[in-house]
């Protein structure tokens, strides 16, 4: 019989997980009972925890360590036999997925608000991953949310804190806390997938790279793998020590926030290759010398070159991409004669396809790429796959992408984010778009083939997800897509995605903002962005 203490509590409003877990300001999470209620709601929703093992860790942001101590005691109070926690409380999202699968734990809890800033006045987040290793599907997150609205008590154990910095096993009540090396299992998996000898030879031949860990969780992983196992020169990894406030940065690997890296790759004497990862290590940005690879193109290029990597030498079963992601990957799938699936935004929708062996590679336009090796998107994995491809092809990044466009055509693509806009205005804008019937109408030089609000029926389990983004598709295949972010903590963020297929190689060099200017204007007008939000320009363009 587990010794536990029952604490009375009352529900908090708004503990509804978004695109990727529950994200709120740190101060919200610091309210007595707030974190505890959500954790108890998880434990109440996932079945009998008695005797089970839980994986636990986070991206190292402010409140990570305190939250881990709270969760450890609650896990003991709820009957878990063991919690595997990353040393120092560190565990990247893809490494958590790796560990859950390898040790067949009863899922895991990941503490992260991903790319959102960290610090006492910034963001914190928590999500539960299921035993298959992936983010909880909607049925589970809805059950957790429903439980948070009813909750009246939680269970904990009255014991002292555990030293998270020393590897080893420690008793906590009747439970064992196993502090483990968060890098080792992940690094071992990467060595199974990629040709480390070829990549080592690439670096030995003078190939130069910069990896920007953005003071977030991938620092220790990148140092161990790139500078350690692959013998890249010391200093290849920038901003490699996880800091609680990410050095006052915004750990979002894009052209705006990864400015140190962008300066290096677009400056004089630029290295051959640049990459960055986000707060929790699941996203990646890929740069060549003076060249930016859009995430949608990165997915397509990796798919087209996958068989150069030992882990994918047998070829791909299929590709999956989120709806707003460009159709560049679809063209590769068509050429390979394999299916391409279109899912709603958020990695949780890829899980069933990966489990069923229908998809091998998955990607999102938001700098997320991954495969069936884990059930999360995986930043360093994408970087290593690029390195493997570069080592085999011995060509610059820009040349590989240009050759890809010449072969398949270019899906010219851009995303415009309007951040921290008024929530009511954002909801009104989406309602306005949902109410439009544009079929057959001309907008500028484009004729609308159809417009709808994307709905998805999971081909494996039949679950249905509606209201996943308004799309206006033109009869030449061009499209504009609108959705509201489900990861923010302040106001609303409107995302506008714009895509046009360009088969003519003579046009491939054009800046997407120029090539897409007409479509961007049409999108702003039809959605009444300026009138409804007061914004004349987006906050971030990727
Ligand atoms: C964003 C991205 C989405 C991604 C999600 C979680 O969601 O658009 O593609 O899966 O973040 O990524 P939204 O709802 O804000 O558009 V992460 O790296 O925050 O775990
Ligand atoms: Co992330």
């Amino acid at each position: 019989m587990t010794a536990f203490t029952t604490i009375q509590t009352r529900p908090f409003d708004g503990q509804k997980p978004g695109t990727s877990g529950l994200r709120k300001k740190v101060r919200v999470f610091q309210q007595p009972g707030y974190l505890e209620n959500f954790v108890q709601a998880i434990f109440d929703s996932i079945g009998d925890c008695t005797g089970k093992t839980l994986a636990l860790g986070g991206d190292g942001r402010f409140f990570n360590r305190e939250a881990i101590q709270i969760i450890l005691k609650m896990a003991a109070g709820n009957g878990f036999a063991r919690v595997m926690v990353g040393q120092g409380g560190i565990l990247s999202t893809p490494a958590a997925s790796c560990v859950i699968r390898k040790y067949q734990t009863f899922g895991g809890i990941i503490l992260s608000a991903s790319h959102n800033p960290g610090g006492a006045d910034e963001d914190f987040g928590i999500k539960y991953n299921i035993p298959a290793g992936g983010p909880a599907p909607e049925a589970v997150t809805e059950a957790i949310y429903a439980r948070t609205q009813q909750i009246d008590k939680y269970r904990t154990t009255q014991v002292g804190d555990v030293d998270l910095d020393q590897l080893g096993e420690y008793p906590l009540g009747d439970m064992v806390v196993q502090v483990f090396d968060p890098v080792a299992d992940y690094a071992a998996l990467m060595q199974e997938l990629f040709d480390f000898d070829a990549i080592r030879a690439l670096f030995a031949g003078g190939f130069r790279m910069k990896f920007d860990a953005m003071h977030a969780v991938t620092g220790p992983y990148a140092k161990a793998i790139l500078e350690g196992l692959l013998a890249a020169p010391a200093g290849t990894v920038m901003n490699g020590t996880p800091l609680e406030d990410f050095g006052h940065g915004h750990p979002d690997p894009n052209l705006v926030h990864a400015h140190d890296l962008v300066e290096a790759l677009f400056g004089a004497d630029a290295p051959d290759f640049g990459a960055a990862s986000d707060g929790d290590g699941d996203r990646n940005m890929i740069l060549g010398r003076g060249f930016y690879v859009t995430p949608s193109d990165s997915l397509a290029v990796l798919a087209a070159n996958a068989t150069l990597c030992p882990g994918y030498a047998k070829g791909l079963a299929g590709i999956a991409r989120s709806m707003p992601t460009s159709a560049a990957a679809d063209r590769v799938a068509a050429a390979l004669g394999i299916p391409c699936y279109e899912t709603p935004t958020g990695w949780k929708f890829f899980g069933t396809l990966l489990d069923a062996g229908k998809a091998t590679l998955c990607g999102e336009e938001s700098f997320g790429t991954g495969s069936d090796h884990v059930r999360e998107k995986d930043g360093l994995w994408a970087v290593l796959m690029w390195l493997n491809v570069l080592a085999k092809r011995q060509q610059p990044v820009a040349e590989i992408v240009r050759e890809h466009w010449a072969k398949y055509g270019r899906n010219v693509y851009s995303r415009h984010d309007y951040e921290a806009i008024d929530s009511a205005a954002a909801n009104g804008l989406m309602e306005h778009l949902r109410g439009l019937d544009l079929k057959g109408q001309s907008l500028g030089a484009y004729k609308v083939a159809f417009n709808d609000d994307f709905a998805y029926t999971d081909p494996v389990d039949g679950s249905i997800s509606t209201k996943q983004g308004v799309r206006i598709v033109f009869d030449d295949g061009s499209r504009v897509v609108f959705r509201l972010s489900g990861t923010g903590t302040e106001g609303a963020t409107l995302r506008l995605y714009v895509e046009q297929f360009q088969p003519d190689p003579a046009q491939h060099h054009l800046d997407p903002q120029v090539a897409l200017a007409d479509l961007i204007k049409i999108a702003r007008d039809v959605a009444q962005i300026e009138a409804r939000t007061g914004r004349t320009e987006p906050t971030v363009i990727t």
Side-chain angles (χ1 to χ4, degrees), residues 209-439:
M209 167 180 185
K210 283 280 180 201
F211 179 90
D212 190 349
M214 303 191 80
H215 302 292
V217 81
T218 39
Y221 296 85
K223 279 190 201 159
I225 295 173
L226 298 174
E227 296 182 9
L229 295 169
L230 293 168
T236 296
V237 177
M238 309 155 62
N239 303 322
T241 304
L243 300 177
E244 289 199 330
D245 64 354
F246 308 122
H248 299 296
H250 196 129
D252 204 349
N254 60 36
L255 294 174
V256 175
H257 295 300
H259 34 78
D260 294 355
L261 180 76
V262 172
E263 255 171 47
L265 269 292
F266 286 83
D269 192 31
D272 302 283
F273 184 55
S277 195
D278 73 334
D280 62 331
D282 55 359
R283 299 185 182 201
N284 71 93
M285 178 170 69
I286 299 295
L287 301 174
R289 181 181 295 143
F291 191 86
Y292 163 64
V293 185
T294 68
S296 297
D297 280 342
S298 177
L299 172 65
V301 169
L302 292 180
N305 291 279
T307 54
L308 297 175
C309 307
Y312 307 92
K314 289 202 198 87
L316 309 176
I319 306 174
R321 62 162 174 86
S322 67
M323 181 274 283
T325 304
S326 97
D330 303 40
R331 297 178 191 284
V332 176
L336 293 172
I338 58 174
C340 188
Y341 300 90
E342 185 176 41
T343 62
T345 293
W347 211 261
K348 58 185 170 220
F349 294 102
F350 294 131
T352 54
L353 297 169
L354 292 165
D355 287 347
K358 288 181 178 294
T360 310
L361 294 194
C362 304
E364 294 192 283
E365 50 62 42
S366 54
F367 302 88
T369 334
S371 89
D372 59 359
H373 69 291
V374 291
R375 293 294 180 271
E376 286 279 5
K377 55 190 184 283
D378 189 344
L380 257 178
W381 167 90
V383 173
L384 291 167
M385 191 153 180
W386 264 97
L387 283 169
N388 193 140
V389 170
L390 291 166
K392 295 287 176 182
R393 288 192 52 169
Q394 298 283 327
Q395 286 172 289
V397 171
E399 197 174 301
I400 289 176
V401 177
R402 290 202 182 102
E403 280 184 13
H404 185 95
W405 292 337
K407 180 170 178 189
Y408 296 95
R410 179 176 182 186
N411 285 73
V412 185
Y413 187 85
S414 184
R415 181 175 108 182
H416 289 198
D417 292 334
Y418 296 80
E419 294 177 332
I421 57 177
D422 178 68
S423 291
N427 289 323
L429 183 148
M430 291 304 294
E431 278 314 309
H432 157 69
L433 286 169
R434 288 192 183 102
L436 295 175
D437 180 7
L438 299 170
K439 189 174 170 156

Side-chain angles (χ1 to χ4, degrees), residues 19-20 23 114-115 127 278 280 282-283 345-347 364-366 377 415 483-487 495 497:
T19 312
S20 180
R23 295 188 191 173
S114 189
H115 54 288
K127 64 175 176 172
D278 73 334
D280 62 331
D282 55 359
R283 299 185 182 201
T345 293
W347 211 261
E364 294 192 283
E365 50 62 42
S366 54
K377 55 190 184 283
R415 181 175 108 182
R483 54 179 288 284
L484 298 184
S485 161
T487 56
R495 304 202 194 285
Y497 312 81

